[in-house]
Each structure stands twice: as structure tokens, then as C-alpha cells.
Amino acid sequence: MAPAIAFTNLGCRLNIAESDALAARFVAAGYRVVPTTEPADVLVVNTCTVTGQADRKSRNAVYRAARGGAGPRTTATGSTDPGAGDRKRPLVVATGCYVTAHGGVACDLPGVDYAVDNDRKSGIFDLVEAHLAGELADPADLPADPFGYRPGAQPLHTRATIKIQDGCDNFCTFCIIPAVRGRAQSRPAGDILDEARRLLDEGHRELVLTGVNIGRYRWGEWCFSRLLEELLDLPGDYRVRVSSLEPDPLDDRFIELTGHERLCPHLHLCLQSGSDRVLLRMRREYDVDRYLDLVDRIRTVWSRRGVPAHFTTDVMVGFPGETEADFARTAAVCETVGFGHIHTFRYSPREGTRAARLPGAVPEPVKAERSAAIRALAAAGRRRLAQCLTGRRQRVLVEQVDGALATGYGESYLRIQFPTTAVCPPKPGEWHPVTVTGHLPDDHLAARPDGLPRPRTTPAEAAPAPA
């Protein structure tokens, strides 16, 4: 039987994109990608270090993988590792931002065979192949290439992620990412467009653009807006979604592109705080008025499209020196925008950042109280959005079919559940038009199917969408 590999992902969509690309390489070589609940020959844990909680989750995920690998491992050559126990165990590879920041800790965990930093993550396939062939392998010998992933059909999700950028030059005072991802660098535009065409040819119907700070994409004369415009005008039946965006680099051209019928009417615009005083201490490159103006302009474009606005965001509570008045301003901005989801997290000091040296630490109980208040605002925003979508049509990209129910995401990036039909049951990776009927307790939307899904087209059969 072909060797099996499982992936555990923590943190951002960029980690997911990189795991998707790795999985594609393994599948092309004959491996089987299996869930982490099933036995595997290889376990890859892709970690995060953005907060203290992320560190704990990453350590726990590595511990679990290492415990699952606490026995002798049989290599592809038939030899057995000397040492522990009497059962075959998987090869365990830890990678990602936590490993880059704390490589020695990950390497020293019993059962972890290799710790691979972010720059060399794209070489994990070669590392695993060498090890299973009985060769001596050293992660330090892998090439440092953050864009060295080979494109291919992505088996982990129906949505295909494309990494367009890595690293960041903003150096926010709280952020460790420049230390673990490096300075900003962009992938050649031609490579991105070629990968997008291949993914569409292989049947993917949603392209998700990701990176650390994708609004800062620069390649020669190409900026993010120009790249996005080219991706929106490829032939085929597909849609494009962009992952997390910083508000400061977005230009007028990008705002115009939000009116394109292929660009999903959902944006994750990072806020962090609704207080200009706190934003300044964070060294963010925008103020609240600029943020709200951007939201209003995009909302106006979506209104002309006839689609409901769906903004999501990140909010940090308890930043050093954050007062009750500062927090009240953040809550007010959240109510004004009406976010459909808010990723709320409590400030935790990151060693090596300037914020770790700032005075005015906020007590943990206060952080918890503020976090709960923001989550309540997010829940109210999600309910209002669900009410706005009720009665509207959404085109669902089916991700899972479980008996008589299918689930997937509509254009507005809300998970939608609808009953299947015996006449034309949906399949994962296919479109299905539905009408939203209500809001389920788990924050999914309920819907009814609208007849038969549109026929799938190939890029050669489809005409480019109008700009």
C-alpha cells in the first residue's frame, strides 16, 4: 500500500497554503493523504507562534504527534530504527513559525525526527523521501526557498490557495512575524498566474490568495491590484478570494476591483484596535478614520453589485497601556462596521518585540472581560449578516456531503448547509446554487437547493469575464 501522510495545521491561511502545496507534491509521488485520526507513515505538524496561546497549541500538537511516534520506525528499505518499543511508528516532522522561533525546543522533543524552519519548509518532501530511503538527511541541507513549492492539485481542500508573498517589513511593535518569516518578498507574477491556470485546469473553482502581507505585493512594476486584476480575468468558471489584508496599502484600483463579479464580497481587514492612541503605540500604519473610510468605500461598491457587505477582522485586547476609554473606542468601531466575525485575541508579550518592553500591562482578568465583550459584538454581527442573507441566493462550493446534507461556502464566506437531492446529488468541488433560509445554532446558514447546479466548464470552453 502507498505510504500515508497526515498534516496538522495551526495558525494562518499561509500555513494552510504551504501544507496544501506540500500535500500536492506527496500525492503526485504516490502518497495517500489521510486525516490525523487515521494511522500514517508520516506526520507533518505546521506550527504557529503569533501569540502565547498559539505557542501552547503548537507545543501540544507536536507533543501529540511525538507521542504517536514513540516506537521504532520501519524505513522503506525494511530496516528498523534502533531504540524504543516494539511497534512501527510514523516519521514526525515539525515545521512552521514556532519551530523557526524555538527550533531547539522542537528538536529535543522525544519522537520528533526533524524540525524544519519556514524558509526550508518547501523541501520537506525531499527530506522525507531521503529518510524513508534510508539516507542520512539534515534539514540544514535543504535549499532556503519560501516559494519552492511545486504547483499541483491540492488534496486537502476544495478551495485552492496560492502563496503570492511572504515576510513583512511593517515591524508592528507587538509582532514576532518578521523574525520568523523574514523581510517582505514577493513571488514572480508569471509564476503565480501559471499556477492559477494549472489549478483551474485541474478542476479547482475557488482561488484564495495568501501571504503574510499580500497588500504589499511588489514584483517589478506589478503591485497587488494589478496582479489581482490579471487573476480575475483568466478564462474559466471560478471565483477569487483574498485572505487577510492590512488596510494601509490598499489603493483606488483595488477598491474598484471589489466590484468584479468574480471577487468574493468578503474581506478580512485587520483592525487590531479602534483607538488611534493604541494604533500609534502598536506602530500600525493607519488611523481609525482611514480604516472606516476604506470600509465605507468598499461597502458602496458592493452595494452597487447588489451583494451584502461582509467584513471580518482581528482585534487585540489588553495591549500595554490600553485604557477603558481605548477599549470603548474599539467596541464602538466594531459596532459601526458590523463585522461578521472577529478574531479576538489577548495581547501576550513576544520576546524580541518592542511592545514587550512597554509599560502599562493590563491584568489578565481585564483582558478576558474585554475579549468576551468583543466576542459578543461579533456574535451579534454574525446574526445581522445571517438575517441580511436570508432569502438571497448564494453559489455554494461544496466541500462535504454527509448523507442527506451537503456543506460548503458561499460567496460571502459563511458556511452553508443544505439538503441533497436524489436527482442530482452534489459532489465536493462542484457548484450548487441555493437560497438561504436561516441561521443555524453553530453559525452555519441553512439553505434550500435551487434546482440543478450550473454545468462545469473548462477554461477552453469559457469566455473571460467582463472587467
Side-chain angles (χ1 to χ4, degrees):
M1 183 179 293
I5 184 169
F7 291 84
T8 296
N9 283 304
L10 298 100
C12 64
R13 181 161 293 281
L14 180 54
N15 265 4
I16 295 173
E18 291 166 342
S19 289
D20 279 343
L22 284 172
R25 181 79 185 279
F26 279 100
V27 168
Y31 287 71
R32 295 177 297 115
V33 175
V34 299
T36 54
T37 53
E38 296 183 11
D41 300 288
V42 183
L43 299 176
V44 178
V45 184
N46 205 350
T47 61
C48 177
T49 192
V50 70
T51 63
Q53 184 180 26
D55 276 355
R56 289 191 294 273
K57 289 182 177 179
S58 293
R59 285 194 300 269
N60 289 338
V62 174
Y63 286 146
R64 287 193 297 271
R67 285 198 302 269
R73 181 196 336 96
T74 304
T75 70
T77 61
S79 62
T80 303
D81 284 347
D86 59 357
R87 67 182 178 85
K88 179 181 176 181
R89 73 174 180 88
L91 174 70
V92 177
V93 181
T95 188
C97 291
Y98 177 79
V99 171
T100 303
H102 310 284
V105 175
C107 284
D108 291 340
L109 287 176
V112 172
D113 297 284
Y114 298 107
V116 182
D117 64 31
N118 279 320
D119 280 349
R120 291 171 173 78
K121 189 187 296 182
S122 61
I124 285 177
F125 172 81
D126 295 325
L127 183 76
V128 170
E129 283 282 274
H131 184 98
L132 294 183
E135 300 174 11
L136 293 175
D138 185 350
D141 294 335
L142 298 173
D145 185 357
F147 303 116
Y149 303 91
R150 293 186 185 178
Q154 298 183 2
L156 299 183
H157 303 90
T158 55
R159 292 166 285 152
T161 53
I162 302 177
K163 180 179 178 179
I164 69 169
Q165 183 270 346
D166 204 341
C168 186
D169 292 337
N170 283 9
F171 292 96
C172 298
T173 59
F174 59 83
C175 188
I176 195 66
I177 295 304
V180 294
R181 284 282 182 179
R183 302 297 295 268
Q185 50 187 320
S186 298
R187 185 179 175 191
D191 291 353
I192 296 169
L193 293 169
D194 286 345
E195 180 174 359
R197 294 186 188 98
R198 281 191 288 266
L199 289 167
L200 294 176
D201 287 344
E202 288 159 357
H204 292 284
R205 292 296 171 254
E206 181 171 311
L207 305 178
V208 183
L209 309 184
T210 189
V212 175
N213 188 353
I214 62 176
R216 294 286 186 188
Y217 177 88
R218 294 292 184 275
W219 181 260
E221 297 181 354
W222 289 69
C223 64
F224 176 62
S225 297
R226 179 181 174 185
L227 175 68
L228 179 60
E229 187 170 15
E230 292 289 333
L231 287 165
L232 288 168
D233 287 335
L234 295 174
D237 183 18
Y238 66 98
R239 65 193 184 200
V240 176
R241 193 181 304 281
V242 295
S243 60
S244 179
L245 285 167
E246 298 292 326
D248 50 281
L250 302 179
D251 56 16
D252 292 342
R253 190 177 186 182
F254 172 80
I255 294 172
E256 293 172 4
L257 286 174
T258 61
H260 198 293
E261 64 177 3
R262 281 183 172 158
L263 186 60
C264 294
H266 159 257
L267 288 177
H268 187 91
L269 289 176
C270 300
L271 174 64
Q272 303 300 358
S273 176
S275 164
D276 283 338
R277 190 183 75 87
V278 174
L279 290 175
L280 186 62
R281 285 167 65 85
M282 290 179 169
R283 200 175 177 272
R284 304 291 286 174
E285 299 188 12
Y286 54 89
D287 58 24
V288 173
D289 285 344
R290 172 173 168 74
Y291 186 96
L292 292 177
D293 177 67
L294 179 64
V295 167
D296 286 344
R297 293 175 67 191
I298 295 172
R299 197 189 300 272
T300 298
V301 175
W302 282 343
S303 178
R304 290 200 296 264
R305 277 179 64 180
V307 296
H310 184 199
F311 293 99
T312 57
T313 197
D314 299 324
V315 167
M316 177 185 292
V317 298
F319 187 77
E322 183 188 61
T323 65
E324 287 294 338
D326 292 324
F327 176 72
R329 294 186 185 97
T330 297
V333 171
C334 290
E335 287 190 285
T336 297
V337 177
F339 295 109
H341 174 75
I342 302 174
H343 177 213
T344 310
F345 54 102
R346 309 174 198 177
Y347 169 77
S348 58
R350 306 279 80 195
E351 185 179 352
T353 63
R354 286 193 285 176
R357 303 189 296 272
L358 290 177
V362 177
E364 288 301 322
V366 175
K367 291 181 187 178
E369 181 181 322
R370 293 175 182 176
S371 179
I374 295 297
R375 288 198 301 272
L377 289 173
R382 176 64 66 94
R383 288 192 295 270
R384 287 194 296 270
L385 180 62
Q387 291 169 359
C388 182
L389 285 168
T390 298
R392 290 178 177 264
R393 297 190 74 195
Q394 288 275 293
R395 197 180 185 199
V396 174
L397 181 61
V398 178
E399 289 200 338
Q400 183 178 0
V401 180
D402 185 8
L405 288 175
T407 56
Y409 283 90
E411 297 93 326
S412 296
Y413 199 51
L414 290 177
R415 197 163 178 82
I416 298 175
Q417 185 178 87
F418 62 95
T420 62
T421 61
V423 177
C424 186
K427 297 178 181 178
E430 292 185 344
W431 300 119
H432 207 106
V434 302
T435 297
V436 177
T437 58
H439 186 209
L440 297 173
D442 57 4
D443 276 341
H444 293 186
L445 297 180
R448 64 171 182 270
D450 291 347
L452 301 178
R454 288 172 53 177
R456 296 175 67 175
T457 58
T458 66
E461 296 168 341

